[in-house]
mmCIF file of all heavy atoms in Angstrom:
data_model
loop_
_atom_site.group_PDB
_atom_site.id
_atom_site.type_symbol
_atom_site.label_atom_id
_atom_site.label_comp_id
_atom_site.label_asym_id
_atom_site.label_seq_id
_atom_site.Cartn_x
_atom_site.Cartn_y
_atom_site.Cartn_z
ATOM 1 N N TRP A 1 94.902 111.033 108.521
ATOM 2 C CA TRP A 1 93.526 110.835 109.104
ATOM 3 C C TRP A 1 92.540 110.352 107.981
ATOM 4 O O TRP A 1 91.463 109.865 108.383
ATOM 5 C CB TRP A 1 92.989 112.149 109.568
ATOM 6 C CG TRP A 1 93.199 113.247 108.607
ATOM 7 C CD1 TRP A 1 94.245 114.117 108.527
ATOM 8 C CD2 TRP A 1 92.280 113.599 107.606
ATOM 9 N NE1 TRP A 1 94.081 114.966 107.429
ATOM 10 C CE2 TRP A 1 92.847 114.713 106.942
ATOM 11 C CE3 TRP A 1 91.085 113.163 107.162
ATOM 12 C CZ2 TRP A 1 92.219 115.342 105.857
ATOM 13 C CZ3 TRP A 1 90.387 113.774 106.179
ATOM 14 C CH2 TRP A 1 90.973 114.825 105.412
ATOM 15 N N LEU A 2 92.929 110.401 106.799
ATOM 16 C CA LEU A 2 92.048 109.984 105.680
ATOM 17 C C LEU A 2 91.601 108.553 105.803
ATOM 18 O O LEU A 2 90.565 108.161 105.312
ATOM 19 C CB LEU A 2 92.700 110.382 104.353
ATOM 20 C CG LEU A 2 91.918 110.342 103.109
ATOM 21 C CD1 LEU A 2 90.659 111.304 103.234
ATOM 22 C CD2 LEU A 2 92.689 110.644 101.858
ATOM 23 N N HIS A 3 92.508 107.716 106.301
ATOM 24 C CA HIS A 3 92.190 106.297 106.455
ATOM 25 C C HIS A 3 90.896 105.980 107.157
ATOM 26 O O HIS A 3 90.315 104.951 106.986
ATOM 27 C CB HIS A 3 93.387 105.481 107.055
ATOM 28 C CG HIS A 3 94.600 105.442 106.135
ATOM 29 N ND1 HIS A 3 94.628 104.659 105.065
ATOM 30 C CD2 HIS A 3 95.781 106.073 106.223
ATOM 31 C CE1 HIS A 3 95.853 104.727 104.470
ATOM 32 N NE2 HIS A 3 96.555 105.659 105.166
ATOM 33 N N GLU A 4 90.527 106.935 108.063
ATOM 34 C CA GLU A 4 89.268 106.762 108.864
ATOM 35 C C GLU A 4 88.061 106.779 107.909
ATOM 36 O O GLU A 4 87.017 106.279 108.257
ATOM 37 C CB GLU A 4 89.167 107.813 109.943
ATOM 38 C CG GLU A 4 90.233 107.819 110.940
ATOM 39 C CD GLU A 4 90.172 108.995 111.843
ATOM 40 O OE1 GLU A 4 89.014 109.479 112.050
ATOM 41 O OE2 GLU A 4 91.237 109.479 112.439
ATOM 42 N N LEU A 5 88.196 107.316 106.711
ATOM 43 C CA LEU A 5 87.058 107.502 105.795
ATOM 44 C C LEU A 5 87.118 106.559 104.608
ATOM 45 O O LEU A 5 86.125 106.383 103.971
ATOM 46 C CB LEU A 5 86.937 109.002 105.344
ATOM 47 C CG LEU A 5 86.870 110.020 106.368
ATOM 48 C CD1 LEU A 5 86.948 111.486 105.776
ATOM 49 C CD2 LEU A 5 85.557 109.942 107.147
ATOM 50 N N LEU A 6 88.236 105.996 104.410
ATOM 51 C CA LEU A 6 88.404 105.202 103.212
ATOM 52 C C LEU A 6 87.721 103.810 103.396
ATOM 53 O O LEU A 6 87.668 103.365 104.551
ATOM 54 C CB LEU A 6 89.901 104.962 102.906
ATOM 55 C CG LEU A 6 90.725 106.238 102.484
ATOM 56 C CD1 LEU A 6 92.150 105.955 102.381
ATOM 57 C CD2 LEU A 6 90.115 106.790 101.158
ATOM 58 N N PRO A 7 87.383 103.078 102.288
ATOM 59 C CA PRO A 7 86.858 101.793 102.412
ATOM 60 C C PRO A 7 87.885 100.775 102.957
ATOM 61 O O PRO A 7 89.112 101.063 102.810
ATOM 62 C CB PRO A 7 86.344 101.455 100.974
ATOM 63 C CG PRO A 7 87.131 102.406 100.101
ATOM 64 C CD PRO A 7 87.418 103.632 100.879
ATOM 65 N N LEU A 8 87.432 99.639 103.492
ATOM 66 C CA LEU A 8 88.338 98.667 104.017
ATOM 67 C C LEU A 8 89.271 98.075 102.968
ATOM 68 O O LEU A 8 90.427 97.969 103.122
ATOM 69 C CB LEU A 8 87.524 97.541 104.710
ATOM 70 C CG LEU A 8 88.394 96.478 105.445
ATOM 71 C CD1 LEU A 8 89.249 97.079 106.537
ATOM 72 C CD2 LEU A 8 87.517 95.423 106.019
ATOM 73 N N HIS A 9 88.656 97.860 101.762
ATOM 74 C CA HIS A 9 89.387 97.235 100.658
ATOM 75 C C HIS A 9 89.549 98.348 99.656
ATOM 76 O O HIS A 9 88.625 98.768 99.057
ATOM 77 C CB HIS A 9 88.701 96.062 100.023
ATOM 78 C CG HIS A 9 88.450 94.920 101.036
ATOM 79 N ND1 HIS A 9 89.512 94.204 101.628
ATOM 80 C CD2 HIS A 9 87.374 94.504 101.703
ATOM 81 C CE1 HIS A 9 89.012 93.312 102.506
ATOM 82 N NE2 HIS A 9 87.719 93.409 102.561
ATOM 83 N N LEU A 10 90.774 98.687 99.361
ATOM 84 C CA LEU A 10 91.153 99.794 98.461
ATOM 85 C C LEU A 10 92.108 99.300 97.352
ATOM 86 O O LEU A 10 93.215 99.146 97.679
ATOM 87 C CB LEU A 10 91.625 101.072 99.197
ATOM 88 C CG LEU A 10 91.993 102.283 98.432
ATOM 89 C CD1 LEU A 10 90.821 102.699 97.512
ATOM 90 C CD2 LEU A 10 92.491 103.390 99.283
ATOM 91 N N ARG A 11 91.548 99.116 96.209
ATOM 92 C CA ARG A 11 92.423 98.726 95.023
ATOM 93 C C ARG A 11 92.532 99.719 93.955
ATOM 94 O O ARG A 11 93.532 99.913 93.383
ATOM 95 C CB ARG A 11 91.853 97.365 94.530
ATOM 96 C CG ARG A 11 91.907 96.237 95.492
ATOM 97 C CD ARG A 11 91.133 95.018 95.026
ATOM 98 N NE ARG A 11 89.773 95.291 94.876
ATOM 99 C CZ ARG A 11 88.873 95.176 95.908
ATOM 100 N NH1 ARG A 11 89.259 94.732 97.095
ATOM 101 N NH2 ARG A 11 87.574 95.457 95.690
ATOM 102 N N ARG A 12 91.310 100.399 93.671
ATOM 103 C CA ARG A 12 91.258 101.380 92.612
ATOM 104 C C ARG A 12 90.616 102.711 93.122
ATOM 105 O O ARG A 12 89.637 102.626 93.877
ATOM 106 C CB ARG A 12 90.420 100.848 91.405
ATOM 107 C CG ARG A 12 91.013 99.641 90.795
ATOM 108 C CD ARG A 12 92.214 99.985 89.886
ATOM 109 N NE ARG A 12 91.880 100.889 88.801
ATOM 110 C CZ ARG A 12 92.772 101.355 87.909
ATOM 111 N NH1 ARG A 12 93.952 101.096 87.917
ATOM 112 N NH2 ARG A 12 92.405 102.254 87.039
ATOM 113 N N PHE A 13 91.121 103.828 92.731
ATOM 114 C CA PHE A 13 90.575 105.103 93.204
ATOM 115 C C PHE A 13 90.501 106.051 92.008
ATOM 116 O O PHE A 13 91.132 105.919 91.001
ATOM 117 C CB PHE A 13 91.414 105.684 94.289
ATOM 118 C CG PHE A 13 92.845 106.172 93.746
ATOM 119 C CD1 PHE A 13 92.999 107.484 93.200
ATOM 120 C CD2 PHE A 13 93.993 105.357 93.929
ATOM 121 C CE1 PHE A 13 94.233 107.809 92.739
ATOM 122 C CE2 PHE A 13 95.228 105.846 93.546
ATOM 123 C CZ PHE A 13 95.327 107.064 92.848
ATOM 124 N N LEU A 14 89.597 107.049 92.275
ATOM 125 C CA LEU A 14 89.484 108.179 91.333
ATOM 126 C C LEU A 14 89.653 109.438 92.214
ATOM 127 O O LEU A 14 88.735 109.659 93.050
ATOM 128 C CB LEU A 14 88.166 108.134 90.579
ATOM 129 C CG LEU A 14 88.062 109.340 89.492
ATOM 130 C CD1 LEU A 14 89.001 108.952 88.274
ATOM 131 C CD2 LEU A 14 86.563 109.486 89.061
ATOM 132 N N LEU A 15 90.666 110.250 92.002
ATOM 133 C CA LEU A 15 90.893 111.461 92.780
ATOM 134 C C LEU A 15 90.375 112.645 91.955
ATOM 135 O O LEU A 15 90.911 112.959 90.825
ATOM 136 C CB LEU A 15 92.343 111.582 93.106
ATOM 137 C CG LEU A 15 92.812 112.855 93.778
ATOM 138 C CD1 LEU A 15 91.984 113.059 95.061
ATOM 139 C CD2 LEU A 15 94.332 112.797 94.018
ATOM 140 N N VAL A 16 89.335 113.259 92.399
ATOM 141 C CA VAL A 16 88.779 114.483 91.715
ATOM 142 C C VAL A 16 89.339 115.782 92.292
ATOM 143 O O VAL A 16 89.305 116.009 93.476
ATOM 144 C CB VAL A 16 87.219 114.508 91.915
ATOM 145 C CG1 VAL A 16 86.561 115.650 91.213
ATOM 146 C CG2 VAL A 16 86.644 113.139 91.447
ATOM 147 N N THR A 17 89.916 116.582 91.346
ATOM 148 C CA THR A 17 90.534 117.812 91.683
ATOM 149 C C THR A 17 89.796 118.989 90.906
ATOM 150 O O THR A 17 89.166 118.708 89.889
ATOM 151 C CB THR A 17 92.000 117.904 91.425
ATOM 152 O OG1 THR A 17 92.255 117.920 90.078
ATOM 153 C CG2 THR A 17 92.744 116.674 92.079
ATOM 154 N N ALA A 18 90.090 120.240 91.304
ATOM 155 C CA ALA A 18 89.616 121.387 90.527
ATOM 156 C C ALA A 18 90.761 122.306 90.469
ATOM 157 O O ALA A 18 90.908 123.312 91.140
ATOM 158 C CB ALA A 18 88.425 121.938 91.332
ATOM 159 N N GLY A 19 91.632 121.937 89.575
ATOM 160 C CA GLY A 19 92.984 122.678 89.500
ATOM 161 C C GLY A 19 93.996 121.976 90.383
ATOM 162 O O GLY A 19 93.859 122.032 91.616
ATOM 163 N N VAL A 20 94.953 121.219 89.783
ATOM 164 C CA VAL A 20 95.863 120.509 90.549
ATOM 165 C C VAL A 20 96.794 121.291 91.399
ATOM 166 O O VAL A 20 97.260 122.387 90.990
ATOM 167 C CB VAL A 20 96.652 119.588 89.523
ATOM 168 C CG1 VAL A 20 97.601 118.663 90.394
ATOM 169 C CG2 VAL A 20 95.776 118.785 88.729
ATOM 170 N N ASP A 21 97.032 120.859 92.673
ATOM 171 C CA ASP A 21 97.955 121.602 93.526
ATOM 172 C C ASP A 21 98.931 120.612 94.131
ATOM 173 O O ASP A 21 98.994 119.449 93.836
ATOM 174 C CB ASP A 21 97.188 122.370 94.569
ATOM 175 C CG ASP A 21 96.374 121.538 95.510
ATOM 176 O OD1 ASP A 21 96.679 120.434 95.775
ATOM 177 O OD2 ASP A 21 95.309 122.024 95.935
ATOM 178 N N GLU A 22 99.838 121.120 95.097
ATOM 179 C CA GLU A 22 100.792 120.314 95.639
ATOM 180 C C GLU A 22 100.258 119.217 96.556
ATOM 181 O O GLU A 22 101.114 118.332 96.971
ATOM 182 C CB GLU A 22 101.827 121.265 96.355
ATOM 183 C CG GLU A 22 101.266 121.810 97.682
ATOM 184 C CD GLU A 22 100.517 123.110 97.479
ATOM 185 O OE1 GLU A 22 100.143 123.419 96.344
ATOM 186 O OE2 GLU A 22 100.213 123.750 98.456
ATOM 187 N N SER A 23 99.028 119.194 96.926
ATOM 188 C CA SER A 23 98.448 118.092 97.778
ATOM 189 C C SER A 23 98.362 116.752 97.052
ATOM 190 O O SER A 23 98.279 115.783 97.673
ATOM 191 C CB SER A 23 97.231 118.506 98.468
ATOM 192 O OG SER A 23 96.161 118.643 97.400
ATOM 193 N N VAL A 24 98.269 116.780 95.745
ATOM 194 C CA VAL A 24 97.952 115.591 94.995
ATOM 195 C C VAL A 24 98.996 114.408 95.225
ATOM 196 O O VAL A 24 98.593 113.369 95.495
ATOM 197 C CB VAL A 24 97.804 115.835 93.513
ATOM 198 C CG1 VAL A 24 97.721 114.565 92.719
ATOM 199 C CG2 VAL A 24 96.551 116.698 93.343
ATOM 200 N N PRO A 25 100.353 114.682 95.166
ATOM 201 C CA PRO A 25 101.292 113.680 95.419
ATOM 202 C C PRO A 25 101.114 113.115 96.822
ATOM 203 O O PRO A 25 101.232 111.890 97.017
ATOM 204 C CB PRO A 25 102.659 114.412 95.197
ATOM 205 C CG PRO A 25 102.382 115.478 94.341
ATOM 206 C CD PRO A 25 101.037 116.034 94.665
ATOM 207 N N ALA A 26 100.903 113.927 97.902
ATOM 208 C CA ALA A 26 100.690 113.415 99.203
ATOM 209 C C ALA A 26 99.471 112.549 99.303
ATOM 210 O O ALA A 26 99.483 111.520 99.962
ATOM 211 C CB ALA A 26 100.629 114.660 100.155
ATOM 212 N N LEU A 27 98.393 112.964 98.670
ATOM 213 C CA LEU A 27 97.207 112.118 98.644
ATOM 214 C C LEU A 27 97.442 110.755 98.015
ATOM 215 O O LEU A 27 97.013 109.790 98.492
ATOM 216 C CB LEU A 27 96.012 112.880 97.875
ATOM 217 C CG LEU A 27 95.421 114.028 98.761
ATOM 218 C CD1 LEU A 27 94.549 114.852 97.818
ATOM 219 C CD2 LEU A 27 94.531 113.419 99.863
ATOM 220 N N ARG A 28 98.139 110.764 96.868
ATOM 221 C CA ARG A 28 98.461 109.509 96.190
ATOM 222 C C ARG A 28 99.319 108.596 97.086
ATOM 223 O O ARG A 28 99.160 107.447 97.051
ATOM 224 C CB ARG A 28 99.108 109.845 94.872
ATOM 225 C CG ARG A 28 98.225 110.499 93.862
ATOM 226 C CD ARG A 28 98.698 110.495 92.416
ATOM 227 N NE ARG A 28 98.982 109.150 92.010
ATOM 228 C CZ ARG A 28 99.202 108.874 90.667
ATOM 229 N NH1 ARG A 28 99.198 109.818 89.738
ATOM 230 N NH2 ARG A 28 99.430 107.635 90.248
ATOM 231 N N SER A 29 100.201 109.175 97.881
ATOM 232 C CA SER A 29 100.976 108.388 98.758
ATOM 233 C C SER A 29 100.144 107.710 99.810
ATOM 234 O O SER A 29 100.418 106.555 100.237
ATOM 235 C CB SER A 29 102.167 109.130 99.300
ATOM 236 O OG SER A 29 101.644 110.073 100.217
ATOM 237 N N VAL A 30 99.182 108.400 100.314
ATOM 238 C CA VAL A 30 98.250 107.847 101.321
ATOM 239 C C VAL A 30 97.384 106.689 100.671
ATOM 240 O O VAL A 30 97.062 105.686 101.322
ATOM 241 C CB VAL A 30 97.396 108.922 101.929
ATOM 242 C CG1 VAL A 30 96.306 108.338 102.828
ATOM 243 C CG2 VAL A 30 98.272 109.926 102.710
ATOM 244 N N LEU A 31 96.976 106.880 99.485
ATOM 245 C CA LEU A 31 96.194 105.986 98.722
ATOM 246 C C LEU A 31 96.915 104.730 98.282
ATOM 247 O O LEU A 31 96.351 103.590 98.009
ATOM 248 C CB LEU A 31 95.483 106.559 97.608
ATOM 249 C CG LEU A 31 94.481 107.695 97.900
ATOM 250 C CD1 LEU A 31 94.025 108.448 96.636
ATOM 251 C CD2 LEU A 31 93.271 107.084 98.582
ATOM 252 N N ALA A 32 98.282 104.786 98.158
ATOM 253 C CA ALA A 32 99.124 103.662 97.784
ATOM 254 C C ALA A 32 98.914 102.457 98.741
ATOM 255 O O ALA A 32 98.647 102.604 99.908
ATOM 256 C CB ALA A 32 100.545 104.112 97.730
ATOM 257 N N PRO A 33 98.982 101.206 98.160
ATOM 258 C CA PRO A 33 99.447 100.901 96.810
ATOM 259 C C PRO A 33 98.269 100.835 95.803
ATOM 260 O O PRO A 33 98.437 100.265 94.727
ATOM 261 C CB PRO A 33 99.910 99.438 97.033
ATOM 262 C CG PRO A 33 99.152 98.914 98.138
ATOM 263 C CD PRO A 33 98.815 100.019 99.044
ATOM 264 N N ALA A 34 97.106 101.282 96.131
ATOM 265 C CA ALA A 34 96.009 101.300 95.214
ATOM 266 C C ALA A 34 96.413 102.198 94.008
ATOM 267 O O ALA A 34 97.251 103.075 93.990
ATOM 268 C CB ALA A 34 94.832 101.955 95.911
ATOM 269 N N ARG A 35 95.839 101.801 92.887
ATOM 270 C CA ARG A 35 96.114 102.531 91.615
ATOM 271 C C ARG A 35 94.862 103.277 91.166
ATOM 272 O O ARG A 35 93.705 102.894 91.541
ATOM 273 C CB ARG A 35 96.566 101.472 90.498
ATOM 274 C CG ARG A 35 97.686 100.621 90.948
ATOM 275 C CD ARG A 35 98.135 99.646 89.840
ATOM 276 N NE ARG A 35 98.578 100.405 88.666
ATOM 277 C CZ ARG A 35 98.873 99.813 87.491
ATOM 278 N NH1 ARG A 35 98.836 98.449 87.412
ATOM 279 N NH2 ARG A 35 99.293 100.561 86.514
ATOM 280 N N GLY A 36 95.100 104.322 90.422
ATOM 281 C CA GLY A 36 93.938 105.132 89.964
ATOM 282 C C GLY A 36 94.296 106.277 89.118
ATOM 283 O O GLY A 36 95.366 106.441 88.634
ATOM 284 N N LEU A 37 93.282 107.094 88.828
ATOM 285 C CA LEU A 37 93.393 108.247 88.039
ATOM 286 C C LEU A 37 93.193 109.528 88.825
ATOM 287 O O LEU A 37 92.409 109.611 89.799
ATOM 288 C CB LEU A 37 92.402 108.268 86.852
ATOM 289 C CG LEU A 37 92.531 107.294 85.791
ATOM 290 C CD1 LEU A 37 91.417 107.392 84.764
ATOM 291 C CD2 LEU A 37 93.852 107.541 85.062
ATOM 292 N N VAL A 38 93.898 110.603 88.376
ATOM 293 C CA VAL A 38 93.620 111.922 88.917
ATOM 294 C C VAL A 38 92.815 112.696 87.832
ATOM 295 O O VAL A 38 93.374 112.855 86.702
ATOM 296 C CB VAL A 38 94.909 112.695 89.336
ATOM 297 C CG1 VAL A 38 94.582 114.059 89.956
ATOM 298 C CG2 VAL A 38 95.588 111.837 90.384
ATOM 299 N N VAL A 39 91.730 113.330 88.111
ATOM 300 C CA VAL A 39 90.967 114.071 87.130
ATOM 301 C C VAL A 39 90.747 115.490 87.579
ATOM 302 O O VAL A 39 90.663 115.800 88.806
ATOM 303 C CB VAL A 39 89.594 113.417 86.767
ATOM 304 C CG1 VAL A 39 89.795 111.993 86.239
ATOM 305 C CG2 VAL A 39 88.707 113.421 87.984
#
């Protein structure tokens, strides 16, 4: 469902977390093929 909120053109992202959990890999797969950092 996240695609409904993402910009039309997605090349680079910054994923902000507060203590990394198991959702991060799933989120990165949804954001692919865009590249970015997890902070």
Side-chain angles (χ1 to χ4, degrees):
W1 51 267
L2 194 59
H3 288 290
E4 299 174 27
L5 302 175
L6 295 174
L8 183 60
H9 302 291
L10 178 55
R11 296 169 296 272
R12 298 284 300 177
F13 67 84
L14 184 73
L15 176 55
V16 178
T17 71
V20 181
D21 61 33
E22 69 277 10
S23 67
V24 171
L27 283 165
R28 291 191 61 163
S29 70
V30 172
L31 296 170
R35 303 181 65 184
L37 288 178
V38 180
V39 299

